[in-house]
Amino acid sequence: MTQQLNRPAVDTVEHAATTPDVDQPWAELGLKADEYANIREIVGRRPTSAELAMYSVMWSEHCSYKSSKVHFKLWGENTTDEMREKLLVGIGENAGVVDIGEGWAVTFKAESHNHPSYVEPYQGAATGVGGIVRDIMSMGARPIAVMDPLRFGNLHHPDTQRVLPGVVAGVGGYGNCLGLPNIGGEVVFDDCYQGNPLVNALCVGAMRTSDIHLAKASGVGNKVVLFGAKTGGDGIGGVSVLASETFDEGGPTKRPAVQVGDPFAEKVLIECCLDLYKAGVVDGIQDLGGAGLSCATSELASNGDGGMQIELDRVPLRDASLRPEEILMSESQERMMAVVHPERLEEFLAITDRWDVEATVLGEVTDGDRLVITWHGDVIVDVPPRSVAHEGPTYQRPLERPAYLDALQENGTRTLAKPSTGDALRADLLTLLASPNLCDKSWVTDQYDRYVMGNTALAMPDDAGVVRVDEETGRGVAVSTDCNGRFAKLDPYAGAQLALAESYRNVATSGATPLAVTDCLNFGSPEDPGVMWQFREAIRGIAEGCKTLGIPVTGGNVSFYNQTGDVAIHPTPVIGVLGVMDDVARRTPSGWRTPGQVIYLLGTTRDELDGGEWANVVHGHLGGHPPVVDLAAEQLLGEILVNASRDGLVDAAHDLSDGGLAIALAEATLRHGVGARVWLDDVAARDGIDVFTTLFSESTARAIVAVPRSEEVRFTDMCTARGQVHARIGVVDDQTDGLDVQGQFTVSLEELRRAHQDTLPAVFGR
Amino acid sequence: MKVGVVTFPGSLDDRDALRAVRAVGAEPVSLWHGDADLKGVDAVILPGGFSYGDYLRCGAIARFAPVMDALVPAAQGGLPVLGICNGFQVLCESHLLPGALIRNDHRKFNCVDQRLVVENASTAWTSDFEAGQEITIVLKNGEGGYVADEATLDRLEGEGQVVFRYAASNPNGSYRDIAGVTNERGNVVGLMPHPEHCIEDGYGPSLDGLPFFTSVLRQAVSA
Amino acid sequence: MGHVVIDVMLKPEILDPQGQAVGGALPRLGFEQFTDVRQGKRFVLTVDGDVTDAHLAAARDAAEKLLSNPVIEDVVSVRAAGADEDPDQ
Amino acid sequence: MGHVVIDVMLKPEILDPQGQAVGGALPRLGFEQFTDVRQGKRFVLTVDGDVTDAHLAAARDAAEKLLSNPVIEDVVSVRAAGADEDPDQ
Ligand SMILES: Nc1ncnc2c1ncn2[C@@H]1O[C@H](COP(=O)(O)OP(=O)(O)O)[C@@H](O)[C@H]1O
Ligand SMILES: [Mg+2]
């Protein structure tokens, strides 16, 4: 009763219709004048404050992709029918779904949580993981693994000490508690990320092909159910300007600036959802992420065939002072929305009950074409749902190749001083091995549970994470994420393809056949024509590259405005490639352990040091042209590696990327502490380069493999028959302490280990 | 033989434990935290995970689940019970095992392939090991530091109730390198490392987890 | 609405990694005057109306049974929150 | 030896999963009278000799800088420990 009296008046549709001249804070909400005018036209009057809240958040860059959308047609244009064959659900849904055979489907997607993780590293990263996991759940899949591509500023900058440990603890704290193995990711340091760390999170889910669920509300009379955590004032900073307008004295209570995750609630929600799917009581489902109920209701309704009616006052609240506008926009975590047939409602609620998950019927699917939301009986929203969810503004932003690029590309590594003696090569190897980007990452990855679920066949520090999907047959998937932002800075088209190539190569190296791609495109401001040009080049690079490789992009995420002042981060199009393997027990690990096995170098090395780690670490240099992309060579190499795994021809394989052959040899040696003797003069002569270049060049489409002597002839015959360039460059040898690069230098295991392992603990402690 | 595995809200490794039971040829039985019934099982595993988020203290809330009302007297009566990680924490909170587990001394979650020494090979869950044997088992936790007062620690050592000790290095600051303990009778065993992740070739660092499950199987056969 | 405050600390003889970490960090920030740090837990329980003796007795009971583990922790105090401590202010 | 006690709680508007879990468990143990639970941290800092105003000022400073995360937490109180609170008793 008293509550009734204290409730301030709300801005109803009726009221809005009679008060056309009310001044509305559209600019504060991030809308442009023409966008506001457009909204007025759509609703045929001024919007209510609740409607304005919904449009403003759904038409934001983050939700509407208004700057990037026009370039997305490149995806479709570059996807052939053949590529579409394995694609069960494509771009546009919560996450893409691919067919991996034998009735199994896999869904995977990456998302960014960059800005929140800078503000509050632990919670930002934790809720980033939580969000992407719910995306995967909303496809009807059981999440089976997570990955975390991370980028930070300078390792030695004091703020990195604040951000990195918090982010890592947050990724671990949330993912570990959910019981999802973390099977890979990246840790990259570059000054360009100092004020804009990148926290991307990827989740993989699996399901039977028959169990795919889509986010749509159809079937008139079906119930709309909100379930999971209560709604609080999380993440509604912006919209509080609206709420305060209607507030009487005192104003709204404080709204939290950050969202706090509750992984336990999410774990229970996962199990609850899976039980709901199993029982077949869900007609449509949508996760609540960015834009909360605004997004869930408008997208569900817009993807369905009717309208929707919602009683907003039924939403269970954590904070009773929340206003309707705020409830619509709250980004409280660990919530889902389902569409349920009335006859199945009881069963639905029995399952949520069993898991102690709060579930509330908010309304139902109607036969109109309007999304109508009421607040204690008053209509506060009455809009066409498509106009909110899908018909936001799009911009063809100006693009222009940055003027600095010519000078940058002109300034290659040719003139840099290079080591010429064995001792100098050795010193550079150790320097690189200890450098922030190439050092051992176990300080980070040991904080992640890689074993939970018992299906992990490969994880860090191997080239790809590999998990079993089908326990009967061992069928499973391999995933890797990669991006070298320096390459993308030098040439965004090539840089994006290089990220794709590296990720593809990592997956193939583990023995899996690459099948599909997701991306997380981290860029500066789209209002900067130079950034927009980088963005368009990157998308074009990925789309055309995928077409060449014959694997489709299934979905992804765009994160703009990663810049400090007018300085943008390096363009960072993170690529995730997913591959399939009939039996993951046959995966190829990255380190050798059997003495006597022969080491082969696959692929050709060119003088390609521009943008690479040697130039970066030894000279602090960035300039020139990134390595040449050769996707045909990547495909051939991939086939060789996959066949070698299937036929048992190799016992270990490690791809060559950052730091080149030198680092790959050191890593393969360090993995199990078994040494190797290597000779490089012949292969250097073959490729017309010196030993230094052979060791440190970052030419693509290369890998090293360890071949059992009994398989050597079969292996080399296969390479010869298929035209794969290969050279016998060494032998695994437990009598050699560490690495012996003959005629150049030796370096002991202990020295390698110390260089590799001490870097992160020296900064962050034990 | 039937081995029950309890699922609490927030349990994570329950399915892995069921798989391990199946792998040695026993019949796995799922037990639900809310049931006050052990379904006639011959042994029980409390699996790893974060029951109730482990928010208060690990295992503190799970201890009061209805299923524990049935389990505690059964364990006191001799039913073989294995607590793995969070399960170990639940057993300590329930006072079925002495001591407690606190935050790792380095304050981070830690996932490593850990070397252990089997100190006591005569419990219900370790009879297929040899005393003094070194094994490698997955360790993964944030609150795995085993603590108890000096008198308790002395008593545990004296009575042979220390079942596993960390070898090579102590990963979490556990007093006296203790990784696992048993009750006086030897039927209740708790340890932080995860044997259920070490039972299949290709998945996990070793097969050193199998003897846990074959031990209890043999015990039931001979009982 | 009233509030009961319950303080729980690790027993002095039990290792306190968090307290130690704080203790190690303080001098690096220039705080040299603190010779030791221990970290414990503070619970605030809300009751309808004023805090009564019955509430306090129940809180004491809950503190012993659930909020602390007697093997490693002590319940340091259980008391009604002072007016200046109202968490809803 | 003296002791400074610092209490830190999550801001009221911030979700407190820990407190929620405790709040959910209490009724199952028969405690129905508590309508909400919030969990916070309690730090006890030891100083040589008695607690002075300078100690308290330093503790207040440390509480803001290190012991709390201003984005999500409030320092609820900083005070000298009462004689009955001596953690070394
Ligand atoms: N943030 C992270 N989370 C999980 N795994 C990581 C993370 N960073 C690096 N790794 C893992 O460490 C290993 C080495 O990383 P990296 O050198 O980037 O691999 P690659 O060069 O093969 O792409 C890989 O297995 C990678 O998945
Ligand atoms: Mg690799």
Side-chain angles (χ1 to χ4, degrees):
Chain A
M1 212 32 216
T2 47
Q3 216 180 341
Q4 201 87 14
L5 290 177
N6 289 343
R7 214 174 55 240
V10 294
D11 188 17
T12 63
V13 165
E14 201 180 352
H15 182 237
T18 57
T19 52
D21 301 327
V22 167
D23 217 8
Q24 295 193 285
W26 47 268
E28 284 98 315
L29 293 170
L31 290 166
K32 298 272 164 7
D34 55 338
E35 292 172 348
Y36 177 65
N38 192 358
I39 294 167
R40 291 190 71 123
E41 194 167 314
I42 291 169
V43 297
R45 54 178 157 73
R46 78 159 173 88
T48 65
S49 59
E51 289 166 343
L52 188 61
M54 289 182 81
Y55 279 106
S56 71
V57 66
M58 290 300 291
W59 286 14
S60 70
E61 185 66 58
H62 178 68
C63 292
S64 73
Y65 290 90
K66 58 185 163 192
S67 302
S68 48
K69 224 187 221 163
V70 292
H71 302 290
F72 285 179
K73 61 175 187 297
L74 285 167
W75 302 134
E77 286 170 13
N78 286 286
T79 307
T80 63
D81 288 344
E82 208 183 330
M83 286 158 74
R84 257 182 262 272
E85 250 167 49
K86 293 231 145 54
L87 205 53
L88 300 173
V89 175
I91 293 176
E93 285 292 338
N94 285 314
V97 182
V98 283
D99 188 340
I100 63 160
E102 290 175 0
W104 286 99
V106 165
T107 171
F108 76 131
K109 191 179 173 202
E111 206 160 71
S112 63
H113 227 216
N114 303 338
H115 185 65
S117 303
Y118 183 61
V119 175
E120 176 20 54
Y122 184 98
Q123 296 297 346
T127 51
V129 173
I132 190 66
V133 168
R134 284 193 301 281
D135 255 327
I136 292 305
M137 267 156 64
S138 68
M139 297 309 296
R142 173 183 273 283
I144 58 170
V146 294
M147 299 175 91
D148 60 327
L150 308 176
R151 283 166 177 77
F152 303 99
N154 194 307
L155 172 60
H156 300 287
H157 190 291
D159 200 40
T160 305
Q161 306 265 344
R162 169 186 75 94
V163 177
L164 184 143
V167 164
V168 171
V171 169
Y174 206 97
N176 295 340
C177 190
L178 284 190
L180 294 177
N182 184 313
I183 58 168
E186 296 166 83
V187 180
V188 177
F189 298 92
D190 192 297
D191 291 357
C192 76
Y193 304 115
Q194 198 64 59
N196 298 89
L198 302 184
V199 176
N200 296 174
L202 180 149
C203 182
V204 190
M207 68 197 118
R208 303 297 297 174
T209 47
S210 49
D211 293 342
I212 298 172
H213 279 81
L214 296 182
K216 64 172 204 277
S218 46
V220 173
N222 278 354
K223 299 296 176 193
V224 178
V225 187
L226 177 67
F227 63 113
K230 284 187 169 37
T231 299
D234 314 72
I236 52 174
V239 80
S240 295
V241 302
L242 268 174
S244 59
E245 300 228 309
T246 49
F247 250 88
D248 29 30
E249 64 271 26
T253 48
K254 279 191 205 138
R255 302 301 182 219
V258 298
Q259 303 156 32
V260 171
D262 180 354
F264 168 63
E266 180 125 322
K267 165 65 181 170
V268 171
L269 199 54
I270 293 176
E271 298 302 329
C272 176
C273 280
L274 291 168
D275 277 359
L276 291 169
Y277 298 154
K278 207 185 313 159
V281 294
V282 174
D283 262 28
I285 187 147
Q286 168 85 323
D287 58 303
L288 276 81
L293 280 166
S294 294
C295 178
T297 52
S298 64
E299 285 197 351
L300 275 171
S302 147
N303 293 343
D305 45 19
M308 188 184 283
Q309 161 97 32
I310 294 289
E311 292 175 48
L312 197 62
D313 44 286
R314 288 171 166 253
V315 173
L317 299 181
R318 198 172 84 225
D319 171 355
S321 74
L322 287 180
R323 307 287 304 133
E325 300 84 356
E326 296 178 312
I327 297 169
L328 278 170
M329 286 177 72
S330 161
E331 298 192 345
S332 283
Q333 304 287 300
E334 293 97 21
R335 298 179 299 163
M336 301 283 283
M337 179 170 270
V339 178
V340 183
H341 194 278
E343 277 170 22
R344 311 304 298 273
L345 185 63
E346 203 174 316
E347 222 179 313
F348 183 102
L349 296 176
I351 292 170
T352 51
D353 238 27
R354 173 176 153 92
W355 286 102
D356 232 339
V357 167
E358 190 167 7
T360 312
V361 176
L362 294 189
E364 60 184 46
V365 177
T366 57
D367 61 1
D369 54 2
R370 309 288 289 186
L371 170 61
V372 177
I373 298 179
T374 60
W375 178 253
H376 295 283
D378 293 329
V379 176
I380 56 167
V381 172
D382 184 353
V383 296
R386 272 201 76 77
S387 71
V388 180
H390 295 296
E391 287 160 2
T394 56
Y395 293 119
Q396 179 81 55
R397 303 237 187 233
L399 357 135
E400 193 183 340
R401 184 173 182 276
Y404 63 74
L405 211 51
D406 285 333
L408 188 66
Q409 292 180 341
E410 207 53 31
N411 174 27
T413 52
R414 252 167 224 284
T415 54
L416 298 180
K418 287 166 190 152
S420 52
T421 66
D423 278 350
L425 289 171
R426 182 182 192 281
D428 279 5
L429 166 62
L430 290 173
T431 305
L432 252 65
L433 206 53
S435 69
N437 290 341
L438 299 177
C439 70
D440 177 41
K441 300 300 188 320
S442 26
W443 189 92
V444 172
T445 58
D446 282 356
Q447 296 188 49
Y448 304 150
D449 183 348
R450 56 187 179 277
Y451 289 115
V452 64
M453 287 186 148
N455 290 318
T456 306
L458 220 54
M460 35 292 194
D462 288 309
D463 287 308
V466 177
V467 286
R468 172 170 62 182
V469 169
D470 184 337
E471 287 207 28
E472 300 293 310
T473 63
R475 175 169 293 261
V477 295
V479 190
S480 171
T481 72
D482 292 282
C483 180
N484 182 330
R486 293 190 313 275
F487 288 166
K489 172 85 174 185
L490 296 180
D491 180 344
Y493 179 86
Q497 293 201 334
L498 287 163
L500 172 66
E502 183 179 349
S503 197
Y504 182 96
R505 193 184 322 131
N506 274 319
V507 164
T509 304
S510 74
T513 305
L515 199 65
V517 174
T518 186
D519 62 59
C520 193
L521 308 176
N522 305 276
F523 285 77
S525 167
E527 292 159 47
D528 174 338
V531 169
M532 216 46 223
W533 175 84
Q534 291 173 329
F535 181 76
R536 207 268 317 267
E537 287 297 286
I539 289 212
R540 203 165 62 80
I542 298 165
E544 294 178 7
C546 284
K547 186 175 185 183
T548 308
L549 291 170
I551 54 176
V553 175
T554 63
N557 175 252
V558 177
S559 170
F560 278 132
Y561 297 104
N562 294 291
Q563 62 178 45
T564 308
D566 50 15
V567 182
I569 58 164
H570 292 339
T572 311
V574 173
I575 304 291
V577 170
L578 177 139
V580 61
M581 220 180 290
D582 304 342
D583 182 0
V584 296
R586 278 219 287 277
R587 79 278 184 263
T588 313
S590 66
W592 46 60
R593 55 165 111 217
T594 315
Q597 295 193 342
V598 196
I599 302 167
Y600 275 83
L601 170 62
L602 307 180
T604 306
T605 309
R606 289 173 290 262
D607 179 355
E608 296 185 308
L609 293 148
D610 295 358
E613 281 295 349
W614 177 81
N616 180 40
V617 172
V618 176
H619 291 280
H621 178 275
L622 175 59
H625 293 274
V628 168
V629 180
D630 185 347
L631 295 176
E634 299 288 359
Q635 267 179 312
L636 174 59
L637 177 68
E639 282 166 25
I640 294 285
L641 290 166
V642 170
N643 285 338
S645 147
R646 188 169 299 155
D647 298 346
L649 304 183
V650 297
D651 264 17
H654 194 21
D655 84 304
L656 269 53
S657 55
D658 304 320
L661 177 62
I663 294 302
L665 289 170
E667 285 175 347
T669 299
L670 280 166
R671 187 76 178 96
H672 301 291
V674 180
R677 268 182 297 124
V678 175
W679 45 89
L680 300 178
D681 293 336
D682 290 352
V683 75
R686 182 197 71 191
D687 291 342
I689 50 176
D690 55 16
V691 170
F692 158 73
T693 308
T694 309
L695 279 169
F696 294 103
S697 163
E698 298 189 7
S699 294
T700 61
R702 295 183 304 156
I704 49 174
V705 292
V707 184
R709 291 206 187 246
S710 57
E711 308 299 334
E712 194 174 355
V713 173
R714 278 174 72 202
F715 180 75
T716 52
D717 281 355
M718 173 174 74
C719 289
T720 308
R722 290 173 177 253
Q724 170 65 55
V725 174
H726 62 287
R728 192 181 210 254
I729 60 158
V731 60
V732 180
D733 178 19
D734 58 349
Q735 299 306 305
T736 301
D737 177 14
L739 260 184
D740 176 358
V741 181
Q742 299 199 328
Q744 300 294 341
F745 62 87
T746 62
V747 53
S748 74
L749 196 58
E750 188 46 35
E751 270 180 293
L752 290 173
R753 205 171 262 154
R754 226 177 315 118
H756 199 223
Q757 295 180 351
D758 285 354
T759 309
L760 295 187
V763 176
F764 299 113
R766 181 187 150 210
Chain B
M1 153 170 213
K2 295 204 276 185
V3 180
V5 175
V6 178
T7 299
F8 298 101
S11 289
L12 304 180
D13 302 305
D14 44 346
R15 288 181 307 146
D16 305 56
L18 291 165
R19 184 194 292 127
V21 169
R22 209 176 306 120
V24 298
E27 182 189 337
V29 177
S30 292
L31 301 176
W32 182 246
H33 70 102
D35 295 343
D37 173 17
L38 298 180
K39 297 189 182 167
V41 296
D42 306 295
V44 170
I45 299 173
L46 300 184
F50 292 77
S51 56
Y52 296 93
D54 276 356
Y55 287 136
L56 175 59
R57 288 179 315 279
C58 300
I61 298 179
R63 168 206 171 182
F64 293 103
V67 73
M68 294 303 290
D69 293 343
L71 184 66
V72 171
Q76 283 160 346
L79 183 78
V81 177
L82 176 66
I84 301 171
C85 195
N86 194 229
F88 184 18
Q89 294 160 339
V90 175
L91 292 175
C92 288
E93 283 282 342
S94 311
H95 310 304
L96 284 171
L97 290 175
L101 293 140
I102 64 163
R103 206 166 168 71
N104 294 343
D105 59 352
H106 47 80
R107 302 181 330 283
K108 299 192 301 290
F109 187 95
N110 192 25
C111 176
V112 290
D113 302 342
Q114 177 68 39
R115 297 202 60 73
L116 301 174
V117 178
V118 182
E119 297 276 340
N120 177 341
S122 58
T123 74
W125 299 90
T126 57
S127 58
D128 277 356
F129 289 111
E130 307 277 326
Q133 190 179 340
E134 271 212 23
I135 58 177
T136 298
I137 303 276
V138 168
L139 177 78
K140 39 165 221 177
N141 60 66
E143 307 196 18
Y146 184 77
V147 298
D149 58 36
E150 287 293 307
T152 306
L153 292 170
D154 289 341
R155 183 167 50 79
L156 289 177
E157 305 254 19
E159 303 291 320
Q161 283 176 247
V162 173
V163 186
F164 299 99
R165 239 187 267 272
Y166 297 114
S169 69
N170 184 329
N172 49 27
S174 288
Y175 288 2
R176 303 194 192 180
D177 299 334
I178 291 173
V181 299
T182 185
N183 61 351
E184 280 168 27
R185 196 166 170 161
N187 63 309
V188 180
V189 171
L191 79 167
M192 287 314 295
H194 287 257
E196 80 284 16
H197 289 327
C198 303
I199 59 145
E200 260 187 298
D201 214 7
Y203 306 89
S206 73
L207 297 179
D208 292 344
L210 285 171
F212 284 80
F213 307 99
T214 54
S215 294
V216 77
L217 198 63
R218 184 197 305 268
Q219 151 119 4
V221 171
S222 60
Chain C
M1 269 194 326
H3 301 280
V4 179
V5 178
I6 300 172
D7 292 321
V8 174
M9 296 295 290
L10 279 173
K11 287 183 193 293
E13 67 271 23
I14 298 288
L15 176 77
D16 174 11
Q18 325 225 58
Q20 265 181 5
V22 175
L26 284 174
R28 288 198 295 274
L29 294 177
F31 300 101
E32 307 276 357
Q33 55 277 79
F34 304 111
T35 57
D36 189 30
V37 180
R38 308 276 296 171
Q39 180 174 336
K41 293 174 189 160
R42 181 171 193 266
F43 300 91
V44 179
L45 277 52
T46 305
V47 298
D48 283 336
D50 287 343
V51 175
T52 63
D53 283 350
H55 287 139
L56 286 173
R60 236 170 258 126
D61 196 14
E64 298 293 343
K65 272 206 191 118
L66 179 70
L67 304 180
S68 71
N69 176 350
V71 177
I72 50 170
E73 294 171 321
D74 292 321
V75 179
V76 178
S77 83
V78 176
R79 62 197 168 78
D84 56 328
E85 286 182 296
D86 186 343
D88 302 313
Q89 286 292 311
Chain D
M1 268 196 324
H3 300 280
V4 179
V5 177
I6 300 173
D7 292 322
V8 174
M9 297 294 292
L10 280 172
K11 289 181 193 291
E13 67 271 19
I14 294 279
L15 175 72
D16 174 12
Q18 317 208 47
Q20 258 183 10
V22 175
L26 285 173
R28 289 200 295 276
L29 295 181
F31 299 101
E32 307 275 357
Q33 56 276 79
F34 305 111
T35 56
D36 190 29
V37 180
R38 308 275 297 172
Q39 180 175 335
K41 293 177 190 152
R42 181 172 193 267
F43 298 91
V44 179
L45 277 53
T46 305
V47 299
D48 283 336
D50 287 343
V51 175
T52 63
D53 283 350
H55 287 138
L56 286 174
R60 236 169 258 125
D61 197 15
E64 298 295 343
K65 278 203 187 119
L66 180 71
L67 304 180
S68 70
N69 174 354
V71 181
I72 54 174
E73 292 172 323
D74 290 326
V75 178
V76 178
S77 84
V78 177
R79 60 194 169 81
D84 56 327
E85 284 184 296
D86 185 341
D88 302 314
Q89 287 290 312

